[in-house]
Amino acid sequence: MKSDGSRGHRLLRSSRLRDGRPLLRAALGLLTAAAVALPFTAAWQYDALRRAVADQTAPPASGGPGTDADADAKPAPAASAPVVLAYHDIGPDDRSRYTVSLEHFDAQLRALRDAGYRTLSTREFTDFLRTGRTPGPRTVHLTFDDGTHGLWTHADPVLARYGMKAAAYLITGQVGTHRPYYLSWAEVGRMARSGRWDFQAHTHLSHERAAVDAAGHERSVFTNRLWLADEGRVETSAEYRRRIAADLDRSIRDLLAHDLPRPRLFAYPFSERLDQSNLDERDTEALRSMLRKRFTATFTNNPARPLPAGPHAVAVGQVQRLEVTRDTDPAGLLRELARWAPVAPGDVDRPLSHPGHWQATGDTEQPALGLLTGDRRPRGGTAHASADYRPLGTAGWTDYRLRATVGGLHGTSNSAGITLRAGSEHPVSLSVGRNTASLATDGRKDTGDRRGCRLDPSATHRITVSVTPRRVRVSVDGEPCTTVRAGRWPATESAGGFALSVHNDGPERQWPRFTSLKVG
């Protein structure tokens, strides 16, 4: 039994060895194949990573374009509110005005640093919007729309050189597509981990244009109801609102899904204005409500009114940005930042002596100030000329007084005008002629007085206007004339500076003129 058992055990063991030879050979074959394939697998993985994370370019050598021009540009006053700068792409493409070259971008950031500017993160900027406290002597918030790959390959090394921060506004549905035009999520992750970048919302897939009517006219799909060709009709309000809400929510989910903080700010696609869309008033308010529900504020480069960062922008939930293009040189950037800086009424010095502080409106030809002061004659066929005084710097004005002298008034054919609270929701227009003065409100919600007064006929009148959030009071030649009182709206809705105008439709073509103007 023992001998038979031993023999049986040996036979069984021999049988197992013979049966296991194919398995052993297969295992050895797999190991051999893996060893042979390992270099190729590693190369494939490296190539995939390279495609997902492009190589970065080195910052340009110091002393690039624009260095010498920086000296003649003065920075903004030290206590200015932050200005939001709007970039798109950084790189060598010279076909688009929205692509800033690497050399110019480096020169711009160097000019900002040398002028004492500091860049803000989104958290710091939204803290300013919430508290109203200026976050430092001179600050800017750098924003980049669309999420192009140039932010990683070209812009990021320059930010690192100057120790600056920026925010990228992503079209989340485009991330990782059309490579190498858009960023990949891997690049976004590296940028976020650097501490130099944060990421905000620019829609999921609503940054495009499509037909909005049967004729095929194309506009932004975000701010317009679309033409449904298969059904021969325009989207209903309900369909539009559902589509936009779904797009905004998907954009937020995409950012959160990639371990990024919830976005606080939103940039309108194409910076298109709502008053130029096919939305009615209810749809417009519904869109604004959706944005207010999801974000602290929205950005646009083309608002219907001046809205630089400040209390009035916070009140309406929208902030205007200063757009930077390939033609923006460092000195020009500093001049624009100074132009955007808030100015106090008491700091205004001889406004009629500074042509550069006036911005023509309507069809007024440049330079506008000469038409208002009589130093230039309007071209033939012109009946009206007007200009705003520093519309961005005075956008937050709520209390001020103007003293102006108007001459050259003639009959009933010409007049001079002063618009108070210019650019606000509730502007007030004063018109002064040889015999009369009248005050009218232009805002949609105004329910205040609309009045005028008779004047002693004269070619020259002295005008005093006192503006507060609650009223606009006018005196002419030292005598009270008329007052318009405010409705029950927040003071920020009536914040704004002033504009001047002259009008002449008489056969004599005799133009009135402003001979003096003081602000206090």
Side-chain angles (χ1 to χ4, degrees):
M1 293 288 297
K2 181 176 180 179
S3 174
D4 291 343
S6 298
R7 185 170 178 270
H9 178 72
R10 286 195 301 270
L11 289 173
L12 179 61
R13 184 167 175 261
S14 175
S15 175
R16 285 176 177 172
L17 286 173
R18 287 196 302 271
D19 293 343
R21 285 171 187 168
L23 296 176
L24 180 60
R25 286 196 296 270
L28 290 173
L30 289 174
L31 288 173
T32 302
V36 172
L38 184 60
F40 297 98
T41 302
W44 177 83
Q45 289 175 336
Y46 173 78
D47 186 60
L49 179 63
R50 184 181 60 80
R51 290 196 302 268
V53 181
D55 294 332
Q56 290 186 312
T57 58
S62 299
T67 301
D68 296 336
D70 296 345
D72 65 1
K74 296 180 180 179
S80 298
V83 175
V84 184
L85 302 184
Y87 286 87
H88 287 81
D89 199 5
I90 307 297
D93 183 6
D94 59 0
R95 294 169 298 176
S96 171
R97 65 184 294 266
Y98 297 108
T99 301
V100 177
S101 72
L102 182 60
E103 292 75 18
H104 283 168
F105 183 58
D106 183 85
Q108 289 163 0
L109 295 198
R110 185 169 65 253
L112 291 175
R113 181 203 62 187
D114 293 346
Y117 284 93
R118 182 174 70 87
T119 55
L120 301 179
S121 67
T122 294
R123 178 181 293 277
E124 290 173 311
F125 182 75
T126 53
D127 284 347
F128 161 75
L129 294 180
R130 179 175 53 83
T131 65
R133 291 194 293 270
T134 303
R138 296 185 181 96
T139 55
V140 292
H141 182 43
L142 304 182
T143 68
F144 292 80
D145 283 359
D146 303 341
T148 58
H149 83 291
L151 307 191
W152 164 254
T153 56
H154 303 301
D156 184 61
V158 179
L159 286 178
R161 164 182 276 183
Y162 295 106
M164 294 186 175
K165 299 177 181 179
Y169 285 70
L170 300 181
I171 310 168
T172 59
Q174 299 288 13
V175 177
T177 70
H178 302 89
R179 295 284 290 165
Y181 184 77
Y182 289 110
L183 291 167
S184 68
W185 284 114
E187 289 167 341
V188 168
R190 290 199 180 189
M191 292 163 70
R193 290 190 294 273
S194 75
R196 289 184 289 274
W197 295 88
D198 59 70
F199 296 88
Q200 305 300 316
H202 200 38
T203 77
H204 172 63
L205 279 175
S206 290
H207 193 294
E208 59 183 19
R209 291 187 171 94
V212 298
D213 56 30
H217 295 112
E218 294 190 346
R219 291 182 182 173
S220 167
V221 304
F222 186 77
T223 54
N224 288 273
R225 291 160 58 190
L226 301 182
W227 174 254
L228 305 180
D230 292 343
E231 302 178 38
R233 64 177 178 87
V234 174
E235 271 183 316
T236 66
S237 293
E239 289 169 335
Y240 167 76
R241 296 175 192 182
R242 284 196 299 269
R243 174 170 62 82
I244 296 302
D247 183 272
L248 291 173
D249 290 339
R250 175 63 186 272
S251 172
I252 294 171
R253 287 199 306 270
D254 284 350
L255 293 169
L256 294 176
H258 288 86
D259 298 323
L260 299 170
R262 183 182 179 89
R264 297 182 173 197
L265 299 172
F266 176 85
Y268 275 90
F270 309 112
S271 282
E272 291 197 350
R273 287 165 44 173
L274 294 179
D275 60 346
Q276 297 173 342
S277 73
N278 66 3
L279 303 181
D280 60 27
E281 188 172 345
R282 289 176 298 177
D283 291 334
T284 297
E285 182 51 39
L287 175 59
R288 288 174 174 156
S289 177
M290 284 189 276
L291 293 170
R292 283 194 300 267
K293 178 181 177 182
R294 293 165 174 82
F295 306 103
T296 300
T298 61
F299 286 150
T300 180
N301 306 343
N302 184 33
R305 55 180 291 205
L307 288 170
H312 55 300
V314 175
V316 300
Q318 188 172 90
V319 179
Q320 185 174 351
R321 298 185 296 181
L322 171 58
E323 192 166 52
V324 184
T325 69
R326 72 177 185 188
D327 300 321
T328 305
D329 59 68
L333 178 59
L334 293 181
R335 283 193 295 268
E336 282 296 291
L337 287 171
R339 188 173 71 88
W340 282 51
V343 57
D347 295 332
V348 173
D349 177 34
R350 299 180 301 148
L352 295 182
S353 301
H354 300 283
H357 290 171
W358 294 85
Q359 180 176 313
T361 56
D363 297 327
T364 302
E365 57 187 283
Q366 298 280 4
L369 183 58
L371 304 179
L372 302 176
T373 59
D375 295 331
R376 297 182 69 245
R377 295 288 297 178
R379 61 188 177 189
T382 301
H384 183 84
S386 61
D388 291 332
Y389 177 73
R390 301 181 75 164
L392 293 163
T394 63
W397 281 14
T398 54
D399 295 83
Y400 56 99
R401 176 177 292 180
L402 304 182
R403 292 185 175 90
T405 302
V406 180
L409 297 169
H410 180 75
T412 60
S413 61
N414 71 12
S415 62
I418 303 176
T419 299
L420 298 317
R421 301 173 179 160
S424 76
E425 292 286 334
H426 306 282
V428 176
S429 299
L430 170 66
S431 177
V432 178
R434 179 180 177 87
N435 307 316
T436 61
S438 61
L439 203 60
T441 53
D442 299 330
R444 292 177 300 155
K445 306 173 187 176
D446 287 294
T447 56
D449 302 323
R450 293 168 174 81
R451 309 186 174 184
C453 65
R454 300 287 300 178
L455 306 176
D456 292 335
S458 175
T460 301
H461 288 300
R462 293 175 293 108
I463 306 162
T464 301
V465 185
S466 176
V467 181
T468 71
R470 304 263 55 93
R471 71 181 180 217
V472 175
R473 178 181 292 170
V474 178
S475 298
V476 181
D477 299 327
E479 297 295 328
C481 175
T482 188
T483 299
V484 167
R485 301 187 184 281
R488 295 181 178 179
W489 55 72
T492 51
E493 287 191 13
S494 55
F498 65 93
L500 302 184
S501 62
V502 289
H503 180 79
N504 183 11
D505 59 5
E508 301 90 353
R509 311 306 296 168
Q510 183 169 338
W511 284 85
R513 60 189 179 276
F514 285 87
T515 59
S516 70
L517 177 65
K518 295 182 179 180
V519 182

